[in-house]
Amino acid sequence: MKKAVLVTLLLALTGLSACLDAHAPSTDRTLAARIRRVENGLAERMRHYKVPGVSIAVINEGRVEWARGLGIKEAGKSDPITPETLFQAGSISKPVAALAVLRLVQDGRLSLDEDVNTKLVSWKVPENDFTREQKVTLRRLLSHSAGLTVHGFPGYTAGAPVPTLVQVLNGEKPTNTEAVQVDIVPGTQWRYSGGGYTILQQLLIDVTGKPFPEIRQSYSRATDF
């Protein structure tokens, strides 16, 4: 059964970017016209790709300028998408996490080419034959070239037990994915790894000594960690 999707950067992917002029004055009239153009173009793309529903938010100058829900939550049903409909964010969070990491690099608290195990405290990348000469580094984690396993995460049903971050990395119950480990020599091959970005999350926590949500809030306010 096809379900609705959360959209990010959709404008660039579907040729709708021309509908938004970030430098145009956002009067009520011009903003309403821009929203209509986006909605019309998006509705056509939804019909083309048979997508039942979409949630979209447009950020202009660091603020959510407008948000809309189009269509329904699941094909064959009637529940509409609204701006308040909850979605699993998934990999939309990766570039945001990457920005936080790069800020720490900029501040000299992390290095792009240092073995991440030197700064990890709560968990370490398991060493094996693949890591004997080449190590897992921030640069390789960010570019999905660290040789790490676990492509992605299916998430957890509401009310089900939720594992800790370390349990996810170790593949321990109630985690529903395998342990994150290196099975390709780091730096030799590109392979998408959500597991790698989970390591980034733990690294941020260990280096700053703060919970991940607080780290993200600090970054969004452009204040020091």
Side-chain angles (χ1 to χ4, degrees):
M1 187 71 70
K2 287 191 175 181
K3 295 189 176 182
V5 296
L6 180 65
V7 173
T8 183
L9 301 179
L10 183 69
L11 304 179
L13 296 176
T14 60
L16 296 175
S17 57
C19 297
L20 288 177
D21 179 0
H23 302 291
S26 294
T27 64
D28 290 345
R29 182 175 297 178
T30 59
L31 180 58
R34 287 158 59 189
I35 293 173
R36 283 196 300 272
R37 290 197 296 271
V38 172
E39 288 181 326
N40 291 339
L42 186 55
E44 189 280 327
R45 290 290 83 192
M46 289 170 64
R47 289 191 296 271
H48 177 79
Y49 289 107
K50 297 180 173 57
V51 175
V54 164
S55 177
I56 180 171
V58 174
I59 299 172
N60 190 3
E61 297 184 354
R63 296 180 179 277
V64 176
E65 187 173 57
W66 60 271
R68 290 289 187 279
L70 289 81
I72 54 178
K73 295 179 182 179
E74 188 171 338
K77 298 185 178 181
S78 60
D79 293 338
I81 300 288
T82 73
E84 287 73 39
T85 301
L86 297 179
F87 287 81
Q88 181 172 315
S91 291
I92 292 173
S93 63
K94 284 186 174 63
V96 181
L99 283 173
V101 169
L102 292 175
R103 170 126 182 230
L104 289 176
V105 172
Q106 177 180 279
D107 292 345
R109 300 175 69 179
L110 289 172
S111 171
L112 284 173
D113 297 307
E114 181 181 52
D115 182 352
V116 294
N117 274 348
T118 62
K119 293 292 196 321
L120 282 167
V121 177
S122 305
W123 181 86
K124 299 285 187 181
V125 177
E127 299 284 357
N128 57 31
D129 289 342
F130 297 105
T131 62
R132 182 176 291 113
E133 296 183 4
Q134 296 295 326
K135 303 298 182 181
V136 173
T137 66
L138 273 180
R139 190 186 302 274
R140 289 167 176 171
L141 288 175
L142 290 168
S143 61
H144 296 281
S145 60
L148 288 158
T149 59
V150 184
H151 176 90
F153 300 92
Y156 298 87
T157 304
V162 178
T164 65
L165 186 55
V166 171
Q167 285 177 323
V168 171
L169 291 167
N170 287 330
E172 299 172 348
K173 291 182 178 181
T175 302
N176 56 13
T177 50
E178 299 295 324
V180 179
Q181 56 188 328
V182 178
D183 69 349
I184 298 174
V185 175
T188 62
Q189 181 178 323
W190 183 92
R191 185 179 64 187
Y192 190 91
S193 174
Y197 270 70
T198 306
I199 293 174
L200 286 182
Q201 180 178 347
Q202 187 63 64
L203 183 64
L204 284 169
I205 293 169
D206 285 349
V207 169
T208 64
K210 297 180 178 180
F212 193 67
E214 186 176 336
I215 297 169
R216 299 308 317 126
Q217 287 297 322
S218 295
Y219 179 80
S220 66
R221 292 196 303 268
T223 58
D224 291 335
F225 287 131

